[in-house]
Amino acid sequence: MHAIDVGTGTPLILLHGFGVDHRLLLPLDPTIEAAGGWRRIYLDLPGTAGTPIGDVASTRDVVDAVEQEIAGRIGEEPFAILGNSFGAMIARQVAHDLRPQVLGLATLAGVFVAEHARRVVPPQTVLRTDPEALVLAGAAAKDYAEVAVVQSLENAQAFLDHVHPGLLAADGPGLEGIAARYTLQREPEDADPAPFTPPCLLITARQDQVVGYEDAWARREHYPRATFVVLDAAGHNAHLDQPVLTNALLTEWLGRVRAAAGG
């Protein structure tokens, strides 16, 4: 599995969403680096340009591939994990499968209900349009407009730098196979219902019409050490829409994970 593996210290596994690649999460890296003492491992999930789909044909197969990659890279060393969108569903399952090894879990606009029809989501909302941003997006304007809640030149450029390249490079037919078997047999919180006690951070977005925020909040009793946040003026790419707040929350979570691990 292809990865960007940078820094030294406690491993932090970062998992991107469906149909994109590790580049989506790279805007978080300066904040994690500034926190100090974190080895950042950005995995390219199967179906990206970096990691061929191979025989992966379901979400559970992706979980197994990620767990094998973690074992190969860090063995039994304790680690924290952060997942975005589909990557959050993978991260939740990994965190429960490997509970004794997991120091903390963060989800960013995470999938908490696999079946789209069962998700509680708000209607698509655009709080501010910017024709110049759509011009800048060029051929990617349609994709950008589908997720941009507050359009701006800066936001459009972030989409072009971190989202669109992964969309273009994705293995469409391979991902269709995973999409057909997208649902886990049971949600990890139901299969392993004991409260998940390491420090957690669950960032959701008020205008996220892809996964919403209510399904994540419905799990609040399962995560007694979790900070739950709903960001206004943010959609499914919440960390690109609200980078200052996201980075502040990320810094605070990393500090809590460090403190709970004994410094």
Side-chain angles (χ1 to χ4, degrees), residues 76-166:
E76 297 181 357
E77 186 177 357
F79 68 93
I81 189 165
L82 179 152
N84 167 236
S85 189
F86 173 71
M89 182 163 63
I90 303 301
R92 287 164 48 229
Q93 186 64 62
V94 170
H96 285 74
D97 288 347
L98 305 180
R99 270 191 195 240
Q101 197 175 347
V102 177
L103 300 172
L105 166 69
T107 66
L108 178 58
V111 172
F112 275 77
V113 173
E115 298 175 41
H116 286 258
R118 292 181 52 241
R119 295 176 186 173
V120 181
V121 299
Q124 183 176 5
T125 302
V126 180
L127 297 177
R128 186 179 72 205
T129 59
D130 186 339
E132 292 185 5
L134 296 177
V135 171
L136 175 62
K142 181 176 182 293
D143 290 333
Y144 174 64
E146 287 179 354
V147 295
V149 172
V150 179
Q151 298 175 4
S152 70
L153 290 174
E154 181 181 23
N155 187 259
Q157 189 61 58
F159 180 88
L160 291 173
D161 291 343
H162 300 291
V163 182
H164 200 239

Coordinates of all heavy atoms in Angstrom, one line a residue, residues 76-166:
E76 N 3.3 -3.9 16.7 CA 2.4 -3.8 17.9 C 2.6 -2.4 18.6 O 2.1 -2.2 19.7 CB 2.6 -4.9 18.8 CG 2.3 -6.3 18.2 CD 2.5 -7.4 19.2 OE1 2.9 -7.2 20.3 OE2 2.2 -8.6 18.8
E77 N 3.3 -1.5 17.9 CA 3.5 -0.2 18.6 C 2.1 0.6 18.7 O 1.3 0.5 17.8 CB 4.4 0.7 17.7 CG 4.8 2.0 18.3 CD 5.8 2.7 17.4 OE1 6.3 2.2 16.4 OE2 6.2 3.9 17.8
P78 N 1.9 1.2 19.8 CA 0.7 2.0 20.0 C 0.6 3.1 18.9 O 1.6 3.7 18.5 CB 0.8 2.6 21.4 CG 1.7 1.6 22.1 CD 2.7 1.2 21.1
F79 N -0.6 3.5 18.5 CA -0.8 4.5 17.4 C -2.1 5.2 17.6 O -3.1 4.7 18.3 CB -0.7 3.8 16.1 CG -1.9 2.9 15.7 CD1 -3.0 3.4 15.0 CD2 -1.8 1.6 16.1 CE1 -4.0 2.5 14.7 CE2 -2.9 0.7 15.8 CZ -4.0 1.2 15.1
A80 N -2.3 6.3 17.0 CA -3.5 7.0 16.9 C -4.0 7.0 15.4 O -3.1 6.7 14.5 CB -3.4 8.5 17.3
I81 N -5.3 7.2 15.2 CA -5.8 7.1 13.8 C -6.8 8.1 13.6 O -7.6 8.5 14.4 CB -6.4 5.6 13.6 CG1 -6.7 5.4 12.1 CG2 -7.5 5.4 14.5 CD1 -6.9 4.0 11.7
L82 N -6.7 8.7 12.3 CA -7.7 9.7 11.9 C -8.2 9.3 10.5 O -7.5 9.0 9.7 CB -7.0 11.1 11.8 CG -7.8 12.3 11.3 CD1 -7.2 13.6 11.9 CD2 -7.9 12.4 9.8
G83 N -9.5 9.4 10.4 CA -10.2 9.1 9.1 C -11.1 10.1 8.6 O -11.8 10.7 9.5
N84 N -11.1 10.3 7.3 CA -12.0 11.3 6.7 C -13.1 10.6 5.9 O -12.7 9.7 5.1 CB -11.2 12.3 5.9 CG -12.1 13.1 5.0 OD1 -11.9 13.1 3.7 ND2 -13.0 13.9 5.5
S85 N -14.4 10.9 6.1 CA -15.4 10.3 5.3 C -15.4 8.8 5.3 O -15.5 8.2 6.3 CB -15.3 10.9 3.8 OG -16.5 10.6 3.1
F86 N -15.3 8.2 4.1 CA -15.2 6.7 4.1 C -14.0 6.2 4.9 O -14.1 5.2 5.6 CB -15.0 6.3 2.6 CG -14.7 4.8 2.4 CD1 -15.7 3.8 2.7 CD2 -13.4 4.4 2.0 CE1 -15.4 2.5 2.4 CE2 -13.2 3.0 1.8 CZ -14.1 2.1 2.0
G87 N -12.9 7.0 4.9 CA -11.8 6.6 5.8 C -12.1 6.6 7.2 O -11.4 5.9 8.0
A88 N -13.1 7.4 7.6 CA -13.5 7.4 9.1 C -14.2 6.1 9.4 O -14.1 5.6 10.5 CB -14.4 8.6 9.3
M89 N -15.0 5.6 8.5 CA -15.6 4.3 8.7 C -14.6 3.2 8.9 O -14.7 2.3 9.8 CB -16.6 3.9 7.6 CG -17.3 2.6 7.8 SD -18.8 2.4 6.7 CE -18.1 2.4 5.1
I90 N -13.5 3.3 8.0 CA -12.4 2.3 8.1 C -11.7 2.5 9.5 O -11.4 1.6 10.2 CB -11.4 2.5 7.0 CG1 -12.2 2.3 5.6 CG2 -10.3 1.5 7.1 CD1 -12.8 1.0 5.4
A91 N -11.5 3.8 9.8 CA -10.7 4.1 11.1 C -11.5 3.6 12.3 O -10.9 3.1 13.2 CB -10.5 5.6 11.2
R92 N -12.8 3.8 12.3 CA -13.6 3.3 13.4 C -13.5 1.8 13.6 O -13.4 1.3 14.7 CB -15.1 3.7 13.2 CG -15.3 5.2 13.4 CD -16.7 5.6 12.8 NE -17.8 4.7 13.2 CZ -18.7 4.1 12.4 NH1 -18.6 4.4 11.1 NH2 -19.6 3.4 12.8
Q93 N -13.5 1.1 12.5 CA -13.4 -0.4 12.5 C -12.0 -0.8 13.0 O -11.9 -1.7 13.9 CB -13.8 -1.0 11.2 CG -13.8 -2.5 11.2 CD -14.9 -3.1 12.1 OE1 -16.1 -2.8 11.8 NE2 -14.6 -3.8 13.2
V94 N -11.0 -0.2 12.5 CA -9.6 -0.5 12.9 C -9.5 -0.2 14.3 O -8.9 -1.0 15.1 CB -8.6 0.3 12.0 CG1 -7.2 0.2 12.6 CG2 -8.7 -0.1 10.6
A95 N -10.0 0.9 14.8 CA -9.8 1.3 16.2 C -10.5 0.3 17.1 O -9.9 0.0 18.2 CB -10.4 2.7 16.5
H96 N -11.6 -0.3 16.7 CA -12.2 -1.3 17.6 C -11.6 -2.7 17.4 O -11.4 -3.4 18.4 CB -13.7 -1.4 17.2 CG -14.5 -0.3 17.7 ND1 -14.5 1.0 17.2 CD2 -15.4 -0.2 18.8 CE1 -15.3 1.8 17.8 NE2 -15.8 1.1 18.8
D97 N -11.1 -3.0 16.2 CA -10.4 -4.3 16.1 C -9.1 -4.3 16.8 O -8.7 -5.4 17.4 CB -10.1 -4.5 14.6 CG -11.4 -4.9 13.7 OD1 -12.4 -5.2 14.3 OD2 -11.2 -4.8 12.5
L98 N -8.4 -3.2 16.9 CA -7.1 -3.1 17.5 C -7.1 -2.3 18.8 O -6.2 -1.6 19.1 CB -6.1 -2.5 16.5 CG -6.0 -3.3 15.2 CD1 -5.0 -2.6 14.3 CD2 -5.7 -4.7 15.3
R99 N -8.2 -2.3 19.5 CA -8.4 -1.5 20.7 C -7.2 -1.4 21.6 O -6.8 -0.3 22.0 CB -9.6 -2.0 21.5 CG -10.9 -1.4 21.2 CD -11.9 -1.8 22.3 NE -13.3 -1.7 22.0 CZ -14.1 -0.9 22.6 NH1 -13.7 -0.2 23.7 NH2 -15.4 -0.8 22.3
P100 N -6.5 -2.5 22.0 CA -5.4 -2.4 23.0 C -4.3 -1.6 22.4 O -3.4 -1.1 23.2 CB -5.0 -3.8 23.2 CG -6.2 -4.7 22.8 CD -6.8 -3.9 21.7
Q101 N -4.2 -1.4 21.1 CA -3.0 -0.7 20.5 C -3.4 0.8 20.2 O -2.5 1.5 19.9 CB -2.7 -1.4 19.2 CG -1.3 -1.2 18.7 CD -1.0 -2.0 17.4 OE1 -1.7 -3.0 17.2 NE2 0.0 -1.7 16.7
V102 N -4.6 1.2 20.3 CA -5.1 2.5 19.8 C -5.1 3.5 20.9 O -5.7 3.4 21.9 CB -6.5 2.4 19.1 CG1 -6.9 3.7 18.7 CG2 -6.4 1.4 17.9
L103 N -4.4 4.6 20.7 CA -4.2 5.7 21.6 C -5.3 6.7 21.5 O -5.7 7.4 22.4 CB -2.9 6.4 21.5 CG -1.7 5.5 21.7 CD1 -0.4 6.3 21.3 CD2 -1.6 5.0 23.1
G104 N -5.9 6.8 20.3 CA -6.9 7.9 20.1 C -7.5 7.7 18.7 O -6.9 7.2 17.8
L105 N -8.7 8.2 18.5 CA -9.4 8.2 17.2 C -10.0 9.6 16.9 O -10.6 10.2 17.8 CB -10.6 7.2 17.3 CG -11.6 7.2 16.2 CD1 -11.1 6.7 14.9 CD2 -12.8 6.3 16.6
A106 N -9.8 10.0 15.6 CA -10.4 11.2 15.2 C -11.2 10.9 13.9 O -10.7 10.2 13.0 CB -9.4 12.3 15.0
T107 N -12.3 11.5 13.7 CA -13.1 11.4 12.4 C -13.4 12.8 11.9 O -13.7 13.7 12.7 CB -14.4 10.6 12.6 OG1 -15.3 11.3 13.4 CG2 -14.1 9.2 13.2
L108 N -13.3 13.0 10.6 CA -13.5 14.3 10.0 C -14.5 14.1 8.9 O -14.2 13.4 7.9 CB -12.1 14.7 9.4 CG -12.1 16.0 8.7 CD1 -12.5 17.2 9.5 CD2 -10.6 16.3 8.2
A109 N -15.7 14.6 9.1 CA -16.8 14.4 8.2 C -17.0 12.9 7.9 O -17.0 12.5 6.8 CB -16.6 15.2 6.9
G110 N -17.0 12.2 9.0 CA -16.9 10.7 8.9 C -18.3 10.0 8.5 O -19.3 10.5 8.9
V111 N -18.2 8.9 7.8 CA -19.3 8.1 7.6 C -19.6 7.3 8.8 O -18.7 6.5 9.3 CB -19.0 7.1 6.4 CG1 -20.2 6.1 6.3 CG2 -18.9 7.9 5.1
F112 N -20.8 7.4 9.4 CA -21.3 6.7 10.5 C -22.4 5.7 10.2 O -22.7 4.8 10.9 CB -21.6 7.6 11.7 CG -20.4 8.0 12.5 CD1 -19.6 9.0 12.1 CD2 -20.2 7.4 13.7 CE1 -18.5 9.3 12.8 CE2 -19.1 7.7 14.5 CZ -18.2 8.7 14.1
V113 N -23.1 6.0 9.1 CA -24.1 5.1 8.5 C -23.8 4.9 7.1 O -23.7 5.8 6.3 CB -25.5 5.8 8.6 CG1 -26.6 4.9 7.9 CG2 -25.9 6.0 10.1
A114 N -23.5 3.6 6.8 CA -23.0 3.3 5.5 C -24.0 3.5 4.4 O -23.7 4.0 3.3 CB -22.5 1.8 5.5
E115 N -25.2 3.1 4.6 CA -26.3 3.1 3.6 C -26.7 4.6 3.4 O -27.3 5.2 4.4 CB -27.5 2.3 4.0 CG -27.1 0.8 4.1 CD -28.3 0.0 4.6 OE1 -29.5 0.3 4.2 OE2 -28.1 -0.9 5.5
H116 N -26.6 5.1 2.2 CA -26.9 6.5 2.0 C -28.3 6.8 2.3 O -28.6 7.9 2.8 CB -26.6 6.8 0.5 CG -25.2 6.9 0.2 ND1 -24.5 8.2 0.0 CD2 -24.2 6.0 0.0 CE1 -23.3 8.0 -0.3 NE2 -23.0 6.7 -0.3
A117 N -29.3 5.9 2.0 CA -30.7 6.2 2.2 C -31.0 6.3 3.7 O -32.1 6.9 4.0 CB -31.5 5.1 1.5
R118 N -30.2 5.8 4.6 CA -30.5 5.8 6.0 C -29.8 7.0 6.7 O -30.0 7.2 7.9 CB -30.1 4.5 6.6 CG -30.9 3.3 6.2 CD -30.4 2.0 6.9 NE -30.4 2.2 8.4 CZ -29.3 2.1 9.1 NH1 -28.1 1.8 8.5 NH2 -29.3 2.3 10.4
R119 N -29.0 7.7 6.0 CA -28.3 8.8 6.6 C -29.2 10.0 6.9 O -30.1 10.3 6.0 CB -27.1 9.3 5.7 CG -26.0 8.3 5.6 CD -24.9 8.8 4.6 NE -24.0 7.7 4.4 CZ -23.0 7.8 3.4 NH1 -22.9 8.9 2.7 NH2 -22.2 6.8 3.3
V120 N -29.0 10.7 8.0 CA -29.7 11.9 8.2 C -28.9 13.1 7.8 O -27.8 13.4 8.4 CB -30.1 12.1 9.7 CG1 -30.8 13.4 10.0 CG2 -30.8 10.9 10.2
V121 N -29.2 13.7 6.7 CA -28.4 14.8 6.1 C -29.2 16.0 5.8 O -30.4 15.9 5.5 CB -27.7 14.3 4.8 CG1 -26.8 13.1 5.1 CG2 -28.8 14.0 3.7
P122 N -28.6 17.2 5.9 CA -29.3 18.4 5.5 C -29.4 18.6 4.0 O -28.6 17.9 3.3 CB -28.4 19.5 6.1 CG -27.0 18.9 6.0 CD -27.2 17.4 6.3
P123 N -30.2 19.4 3.5 CA -30.3 19.7 2.0 C -29.0 20.4 1.6 O -28.3 21.1 2.4 CB -31.5 20.6 1.9 CG -31.6 21.3 3.2 CD -31.2 20.3 4.2
Q124 N -28.6 20.3 0.4 CA -27.5 21.0 -0.1 C -27.7 22.5 0.0 O -28.7 23.0 -0.3 CB -27.2 20.7 -1.6 CG -25.9 21.3 -2.1 CD -25.6 20.9 -3.6 OE1 -26.4 20.2 -4.2 NE2 -24.5 21.4 -4.1
T125 N -26.7 23.1 0.6 CA -26.7 24.6 0.9 C -25.5 25.2 0.5 O -24.4 24.8 0.8 CB -26.9 24.8 2.4 OG1 -28.1 24.1 2.9 CG2 -27.1 26.3 2.7
V126 N -25.6 26.3 -0.2 CA -24.4 27.2 -0.6 C -24.7 28.5 0.1 O -25.6 29.3 -0.3 CB -24.3 27.3 -2.1 CG1 -23.1 28.2 -2.4 CG2 -24.1 26.0 -2.8
L127 N -23.8 28.8 1.0 CA -24.0 30.1 1.8 C -23.4 31.3 1.1 O -23.9 32.4 1.3 CB -23.3 30.0 3.2 CG -23.8 28.9 4.1 CD1 -23.0 28.8 5.4 CD2 -25.3 29.1 4.4
R128 N -22.5 31.0 0.2 CA -21.9 32.2 -0.6 C -21.4 31.6 -1.9 O -20.6 30.7 -1.9 CB -20.8 32.9 0.2 CG -20.3 34.1 -0.6 CD -19.2 34.8 0.2 NE -17.9 34.1 0.2 CZ -17.0 34.1 1.1 NH1 -17.1 34.9 2.1 NH2 -15.8 33.4 0.9
T129 N -21.8 32.2 -3.0 CA -21.3 31.9 -4.3 C -20.3 32.9 -4.7 O -20.2 34.0 -4.3 CB -22.5 31.9 -5.3 OG1 -23.1 33.2 -5.4 CG2 -23.5 30.9 -5.0
D130 N -19.4 32.4 -5.6 CA -18.3 33.3 -6.1 C -18.0 32.9 -7.5 O -17.3 31.8 -7.7 CB -17.1 33.1 -5.2 CG -15.9 34.1 -5.6 OD1 -15.9 34.6 -6.7 OD2 -15.0 34.3 -4.8
P131 N -18.5 33.6 -8.5 CA -18.3 33.2 -9.9 C -16.8 33.1 -10.2 O -16.4 32.3 -11.1 CB -18.9 34.4 -10.7 CG -20.0 34.9 -9.7 CD -19.4 34.8 -8.4
E132 N -16.0 33.9 -9.6 CA -14.5 33.9 -9.9 C -13.9 32.5 -9.4 O -13.0 32.0 -10.0 CB -13.8 35.0 -9.3 CG -14.1 36.4 -9.9 CD -13.3 37.5 -9.3 OE1 -12.4 37.2 -8.4 OE2 -13.5 38.7 -9.6
A133 N -14.5 32.0 -8.3 CA -14.0 30.7 -7.8 C -14.4 29.6 -8.8 O -13.6 28.7 -9.1 CB -14.6 30.4 -6.5
L134 N -15.5 29.7 -9.4 CA -15.9 28.7 -10.4 C -15.1 28.8 -11.6 O -14.8 27.8 -12.3 CB -17.4 28.8 -10.7 CG -18.4 28.6 -9.5 CD1 -19.8 28.8 -10.0 CD2 -18.2 27.1 -9.0
V135 N -14.8 30.0 -12.0 CA -13.9 30.2 -13.2 C -12.5 29.6 -12.9 O -11.9 28.8 -13.7 CB -13.7 31.7 -13.6 CG1 -12.6 31.9 -14.6 CG2 -15.1 32.2 -14.1
L136 N -12.0 29.8 -11.7 CA -10.7 29.2 -11.3 C -10.8 27.7 -11.3 O -9.8 27.0 -11.8 CB -10.3 29.7 -9.9 CG -9.0 29.1 -9.3 CD1 -7.8 29.4 -10.2 CD2 -8.8 29.6 -7.9
A137 N -11.9 27.1 -10.9 CA -12.0 25.7 -10.8 C -12.0 25.1 -12.2 O -11.6 23.9 -12.4 CB -13.3 25.3 -10.1
G138 N -12.4 25.8 -13.2 CA -12.3 25.4 -14.6 C -13.1 24.1 -14.9 O -14.3 24.0 -14.5
A139 N -12.4 23.1 -15.4 CA -13.0 21.8 -15.7 C -13.6 21.1 -14.5 O -14.4 20.2 -14.6 CB -12.1 20.9 -16.5
A140 N -13.1 21.5 -13.3 CA -13.5 20.9 -12.0 C -14.6 21.7 -11.4 O -15.0 21.3 -10.3 CB -12.3 20.8 -11.1
A141 N -15.2 22.7 -12.1 CA -16.2 23.5 -11.5 C -17.4 22.8 -11.0 O -18.0 23.1 -9.9 CB -16.6 24.6 -12.5
K142 N -17.9 21.8 -11.8 CA -19.1 21.1 -11.4 C -18.8 20.3 -10.1 O -19.6 20.3 -9.2 CB -19.5 20.1 -12.5 CG -20.8 19.3 -12.2 CD -21.2 18.4 -13.4 CE -22.4 17.7 -13.1 NZ -22.2 16.6 -12.0
D143 N -17.7 19.6 -10.0 CA -17.3 18.8 -8.8 C -17.2 19.8 -7.6 O -17.6 19.4 -6.5 CB -16.0 18.0 -9.0 CG -16.2 16.9 -10.0 OD1 -17.3 16.4 -10.1 OD2 -15.2 16.5 -10.7
Y144 N -16.6 20.9 -7.9 CA -16.3 21.9 -6.8 C -17.7 22.4 -6.3 O -17.9 22.5 -5.1 CB -15.5 23.0 -7.3 CG -15.3 24.1 -6.3 CD1 -14.7 23.9 -5.0 CD2 -15.8 25.4 -6.5 CE1 -14.6 24.9 -4.1 CE2 -15.7 26.4 -5.6 CZ -15.1 26.2 -4.4 OH -14.9 27.2 -3.5
A145 N -18.6 22.8 -7.2 CA -19.8 23.4 -6.8 C -20.7 22.4 -6.0 O -21.5 22.8 -5.2 CB -20.6 23.8 -8.0
E146 N -20.5 21.1 -6.2 CA -21.3 20.1 -5.5 C -21.0 20.0 -4.0 O -21.9 19.6 -3.2 CB -21.1 18.7 -6.1 CG -21.8 18.5 -7.5 CD -21.5 17.2 -8.1 OE1 -20.7 16.4 -7.5 OE2 -22.1 16.9 -9.1
V147 N -19.8 20.5 -3.6 CA -19.4 20.3 -2.2 C -19.1 21.7 -1.6 O -19.0 21.7 -0.3 CB -18.2 19.4 -2.0 CG1 -18.6 18.0 -2.4 CG2 -17.0 19.8 -2.9
A148 N -18.9 22.7 -2.3 CA -18.5 24.0 -1.7 C -19.6 24.7 -1.1 O -20.6 25.1 -1.8 CB -17.9 24.9 -2.8
V149 N -19.5 25.0 0.2 CA -20.6 25.7 0.9 C -20.3 27.2 0.9 O -21.3 28.0 0.7 CB -20.6 25.2 2.4 CG1 -21.6 26.0 3.2 CG2 -21.1 23.7 2.4
V150 N -19.1 27.6 1.1 CA -18.7 29.0 1.0 C -17.6 29.0 -0.1 O -16.5 28.7 0.1 CB -18.1 29.5 2.3 CG1 -17.7 30.9 2.2 CG2 -19.2 29.3 3.4
Q151 N -18.1 29.5 -1.3 CA -17.1 29.5 -2.4 C -16.2 30.7 -2.3 O -16.6 31.8 -1.9 CB -17.9 29.6 -3.7 CG -18.8 28.4 -4.0 CD -19.7 28.6 -5.3 OE1 -19.5 29.6 -6.0 NE2 -20.6 27.6 -5.5
S152 N -15.0 30.5 -2.6 CA -14.0 31.6 -2.6 C -12.8 31.1 -3.5 O -12.6 29.9 -3.8 CB -13.5 31.9 -1.2 OG -12.7 30.9 -0.7
L153 N -12.0 32.1 -3.9 CA -10.8 31.7 -4.7 C -9.9 30.8 -3.9 O -9.3 29.8 -4.4 CB -10.0 33.0 -5.1 CG -10.7 33.9 -6.1 CD1 -10.0 35.2 -6.3 CD2 -10.9 33.1 -7.5
E154 N -9.7 31.1 -2.6 CA -8.8 30.3 -1.7 C -9.3 28.9 -1.6 O -8.6 27.9 -1.7 CB -8.7 30.9 -0.4 CG -7.7 30.2 0.6 CD -7.6 30.8 1.9 OE1 -8.6 31.6 2.3 OE2 -6.6 30.6 2.6
N155 N -10.7 28.8 -1.4 CA -11.3 27.5 -1.2 C -11.2 26.6 -2.5 O -11.0 25.4 -2.5 CB -12.7 27.6 -0.7 CG -13.4 26.4 -0.4 OD1 -14.2 25.8 -1.1 ND2 -13.1 25.8 0.8
A156 N -11.5 27.3 -3.6 CA -11.4 26.6 -4.9 C -10.0 26.1 -5.2 O -9.8 25.0 -5.7 CB -11.9 27.5 -6.0
Q157 N -9.0 26.9 -4.8 CA -7.6 26.5 -5.1 C -7.3 25.3 -4.2 O -6.6 24.3 -4.6 CB -6.6 27.6 -4.8 CG -5.2 27.3 -5.2 CD -5.1 27.1 -6.7 OE1 -5.4 27.9 -7.5 NE2 -4.6 25.9 -7.1
A158 N -7.8 25.3 -3.0 CA -7.6 24.1 -2.1 C -8.2 22.9 -2.7 O -7.6 21.8 -2.6 CB -8.1 24.4 -0.7
F159 N -9.4 23.0 -3.3 CA -10.0 21.9 -3.9 C -9.2 21.4 -5.1 O -9.0 20.1 -5.2 CB -11.4 22.3 -4.4 CG -12.2 21.2 -5.1 CD1 -13.0 20.4 -4.4 CD2 -12.1 21.1 -6.5 CE1 -13.7 19.3 -5.0 CE2 -12.8 20.1 -7.1 CZ -13.6 19.2 -6.4
L160 N -8.7 22.3 -5.9 CA -7.9 21.9 -7.0 C -6.6 21.2 -6.6 O -6.1 20.3 -7.2 CB -7.5 23.1 -7.9 CG -8.7 23.7 -8.6 CD1 -8.2 25.0 -9.3 CD2 -9.3 22.8 -9.7
D161 N -6.0 21.6 -5.5 CA -4.7 21.1 -5.0 C -4.9 19.8 -4.3 O -4.0 18.9 -4.5 CB -4.0 22.1 -4.1 CG -3.6 23.3 -4.8 OD1 -3.4 23.3 -6.0 OD2 -3.3 24.3 -4.1
H162 N -6.0 19.6 -3.6 CA -6.0 18.5 -2.6 C -7.2 17.5 -2.9 O -7.1 16.3 -2.4 CB -6.2 19.0 -1.2 CG -5.0 19.9 -0.8 ND1 -3.8 19.4 -0.6 CD2 -4.9 21.2 -0.6 CE1 -2.9 20.4 -0.2 NE2 -3.6 21.5 -0.2
V163 N -8.2 17.9 -3.6 CA -9.3 17.0 -3.9 C -9.3 16.5 -5.3 O -9.3 15.3 -5.6 CB -10.7 17.7 -3.6 CG1 -11.8 16.7 -3.8 CG2 -10.7 18.2 -2.2
H164 N -9.3 17.4 -6.3 CA -9.5 17.0 -7.7 C -8.4 16.0 -8.2 O -8.8 15.1 -9.0 CB -9.5 18.3 -8.5 CG -10.2 18.1 -9.8 ND1 -9.6 18.3 -11.0 CD2 -11.4 17.6 -10.1 CE1 -10.4 18.0 -12.0 NE2 -11.5 17.6 -11.5
P165 N -7.1 16.2 -7.9 CA -6.2 15.2 -8.4 C -6.5 13.7 -8.0 O -6.4 12.8 -8.8 CB -4.9 15.6 -7.8 CG -5.0 17.1 -7.5 CD -6.5 17.2 -7.1
G166 N -7.0 13.5 -6.8 CA -7.4 12.2 -6.4 C -8.6 11.7 -7.2 O -8.7 10.5 -7.5

